[in-house]
Every structure is written in C-alpha cells, then in structure tokens.
Amino acid sequence: MRRPEPMTGALTHLTVAGLRLEIRDFPAAAEGRPTLLLLHEGLGCAALWRDFPRKLAEATGCRVVAGSRAGYGSSDPYPEPRTPRYLHREAEEALPAFLAALDIEHPVLIGHSDGGSIALIFASAFPDAPLGVAVLAPHEFVEEETLAGLRAARKAWATTHWPRRLTHYHADAPRVFREWNDTWLSPAFRDWSIEACLRDIRCPVLAIQGEDDEYATLRQIDVIAEQVKGTRLLKLPRCGHAPHQDQEAQVLAALADFVGQLPRR
C-alpha cells in the first residue's frame, strides 16, 4: 500500500486492515534519518501530543509520525469490546500492520504509558524490527499506585469537566475512558505483566519516568534496566505521568541524544 506523502503535522487518515486511522506526519529534515513513531497513552491520540511531534522532528531531524489507535481520536473503532490482552493485540497485530501501511521497516518507537507498553511488547515479539525504543512512563505490571490513580481518574471523570474536554479529541470519549479505566481496574487485569517479555528485547532502550508519577513507582523502569542490558534510565524530579509535558526540554534533549547514537541500518 502506498503511504501518504509526509504532511506538516496536519491530521490525515490511512486505512489499515479495514480501519480508517488518523495520523500526523512530519517529514525528515535530511536523508538517511530514521523514522520516529509516537505511540500515545491510554486516553491519548495523535492530536493530544500537541506540539511535541513537531519539536521532536526539529530536535532530531527525523521524520516523526503520530497515529491514533483504533477507537481513539477520529480513528475507526474496533467492532468488538476490549479484552485484557488489548496491549498485546496492538503490539503484535495492529502495529505491524500500521508500519507496513506506512512502508516503515525499522522504526524508532517512542511510547507514552500504554504506548510504552505496546512498544516494549513489539520489540520483544519482533526483536529485529525496531532500531530503538524510548518509553515515557511505561507499564510493565500493575501496582497499587496504578490502581489508586485509576480510581482517582474515575472519580474525576464523574465530577469534573474532563469528559467535555476529552470530547474535543475523541469521536467517542466515553468509550475511550470506559475501556481504559474498566480494563485496568478489572480483576482479570490485576495480574497483567510483561516483565517476562523484556528479556527478548535486543535493541537499545531509553526509559523515562517522573518521580511524581501518579500512576506508578520508579520500579516500572527499573525492571526494564534489569532485563534489557544497556538500558538508559532517566528519572525526572518535579514530573508526573506525562514527562514530555512536565519536563519537555529534558525529554527532547534525551530523545535527540538517544536517536543520535542509534546504529544505522
């Protein structure tokens, strides 16, 4: 399938496996640079990265693509309900199809939260595919802090203007929130873990997390370093669950340095 011409960040759409998915595409500044693929969080989408993709493209000189997974933003939803294996489905089925549609063989994956987990699962399942993986506040297992953050999010959803704000970004914001929150709080998800997958990752990894992450402890990135040799860790003070927003300059600098040192293929 022919990929769309790179855009200057405007939202466009690409059909993958019968689903119309939205993307933002920023072209590379020079030939021979890798493509950076941004994988959003559990309530995110291409537009909710805001200006970060453009700044990342400028900082690295690379093409940067931010997509909205099925059901997010204006992307078509899956017809069936979410299961506890939804992150594996995204990593092992949806992401390979998305990369093929964009004609990207060896991306650098940059994932936030759920997107970070998807990036790690993909790198484990397809160890020769990614040039590198950078994760921002990823999840490898469920902590009590995770559950507390999810319960607080459920209360905020019911008592604040959050639903109205999220409606500006998603065609079906209630479903986005419900599937994310209900899945993570379900008994079936309590023992979810991808720690066993980490040992199969062979590409360079950068793991970034805020010291004040409201959904996790720093143990989430420490386990990556224990399983993946050579993992670079960046623990940021005065930073919550969105490092690219709370400490944007440091995250951009770290990503530019990481990408600059990756081996070329």
Side-chain angles (χ1 to χ4, degrees):
M1 179 184 297
R2 183 186 177 191
R3 65 173 174 84
E5 291 300 314
M7 306 283 289
T8 56
L11 282 172
T12 186
H13 289 82
L14 178 70
T15 299
V16 182
L19 297 175
R20 187 170 176 266
L21 306 180
E22 68 176 9
I23 63 170
R24 296 175 69 194
D25 197 340
F26 295 80
E31 294 289 332
R33 305 292 292 164
T35 295
L36 314 184
L37 182 62
L38 294 175
L39 305 174
H40 61 76
E41 58 156 323
L43 297 179
C45 63
L48 275 168
W49 285 103
R50 298 185 173 88
D51 208 27
F52 186 77
R54 180 188 63 79
K55 292 179 179 179
L56 183 61
E58 291 175 352
T60 62
C62 297
R63 179 188 180 195
V64 175
V65 178
S68 296
R69 296 190 293 275
Y72 293 88
S74 64
S75 293
D76 289 343
Y78 290 122
E80 65 276 1
R82 179 172 292 185
T83 75
R85 284 191 56 80
Y86 80 100
L87 293 167
H88 284 79
R89 174 183 184 172
E90 290 296 335
E92 297 171 354
E93 300 175 26
L95 182 52
F98 187 70
L99 290 169
L102 287 165
D103 196 25
I104 301 171
E105 293 187 27
H106 299 293
V108 178
L109 301 178
I110 301 173
H112 174 217
S113 191
D114 274 21
S117 304
I118 292 167
L120 293 169
I121 298 169
F122 176 89
S124 171
F126 308 98
D128 295 325
L131 291 176
V133 168
V135 289
L136 316 176
H139 301 287
E140 287 71 51
F141 54 95
V142 182
E143 297 181 281
E144 288 301 324
E145 289 79 1
T146 313
L147 301 176
L150 289 157
R151 294 187 191 105
R154 179 173 289 187
K155 182 178 180 180
W157 182 261
T159 60
T160 70
H161 295 299
W162 194 8
R164 185 184 306 168
R165 294 198 303 270
L166 211 59
T167 297
H168 294 304
Y169 296 98
H170 299 292
D172 190 349
R175 179 178 177 180
V176 167
F177 182 86
R178 182 179 65 254
E179 289 193 330
W180 167 75
N181 198 261
D182 287 356
T183 300
W184 276 85
L185 285 174
S186 69
F189 206 75
R190 187 64 183 87
D191 295 327
W192 175 87
S193 173
I194 61 169
E195 289 183 77
C197 298
L198 299 176
R199 65 176 66 98
D200 295 324
I201 296 174
R202 296 205 291 264
C203 67
V205 175
L206 168 66
I208 302 173
Q209 189 170 0
E211 294 179 357
D212 303 315
D213 192 326
E214 57 270 37
Y215 289 100
T217 71
L218 292 171
R219 181 68 187 151
Q220 294 287 342
I221 62 171
D222 285 339
V223 298
I224 302 175
E226 291 169 4
Q227 297 288 340
V228 185
K229 184 178 179 180
T231 295
R232 298 166 60 176
L233 298 183
L234 177 59
K235 300 177 180 180
L236 296 171
R238 301 178 301 280
C239 180
H241 192 60
H244 59 294
Q245 296 174 5
D246 295 348
Q247 297 289 349
E248 181 184 70
Q250 288 194 62
V251 170
L252 284 170
L255 289 173
D257 182 63
F258 176 71
V259 171
Q261 295 186 41
L262 290 175
R264 297 288 183 260
R265 292 187 185 177

